[in-house]
Amino acid sequence: MICDQDKLTDRGCTGAQDWIIEIVSPGNSSHDYVLKLNLYADAGVREYWIVDSHRERIFVYHLEQEHFEVETYTFQDCIPVGIYPDLKIDFPNLDL
């Protein structure tokens, strides 16, 4: 998701997205948990969610701080979106 409209051009987005949600790849989870997490943090992504359907967990990384903060949720939780104070994702109602 891109919050800053100035990042959008005729060719797409210039700069990092503000919020990324990934569904973890069962065969290569370290790619999402390590490589992408560090790449996104370095690029300026503000919030990164990893949805792990095998473990039924959602890992929410807040990347705006100097040190990453991570919160862990289940598919039974209503999860607040850190970069949008009034937005929550109600996982139980998603019928996963």
Side-chain angles (χ1 to χ4, degrees):
M1 175 169 282
I2 302 163
C3 300
D4 183 355
Q5 296 297 316
D6 292 335
K7 291 182 180 180
L8 297 175
T9 69
D10 294 349
R11 300 187 66 185
C13 177
T14 58
Q17 299 162 335
D18 295 299
W19 180 28
I20 296 176
I21 301 173
E22 300 253 9
I23 309 300
V24 74
S25 306
N28 194 11
S29 62
S30 65
H31 187 73
D32 296 320
Y33 285 104
V34 178
L35 180 66
K36 286 184 178 181
L37 172 63
N38 287 299
L39 287 173
Y40 293 155
D42 289 344
V45 171
R46 296 169 59 197
E47 193 162 332
Y48 177 46
W49 290 25
I50 299 175
V51 178
D52 188 329
S53 59
H54 179 71
R55 295 167 54 189
E56 293 189 5
R57 296 281 184 267
I58 301 96
F59 301 91
V60 176
Y61 292 88
H62 305 280
L63 304 178
E64 293 181 292
Q65 292 80 9
E66 184 175 319
H67 302 285
F68 303 163
E69 288 185 20
V70 63
E71 295 176 282
T72 304
Y73 298 92
T74 72
F75 282 14
Q76 301 308 310
D77 293 320
C78 185
I79 305 173
V81 178
I83 63 172
Y84 295 111
D86 297 330
L87 179 61
K88 295 180 181 183
I89 306 299
D90 191 358
F91 269 79
N93 285 327
L94 295 179
D95 195 29
L96 298 175

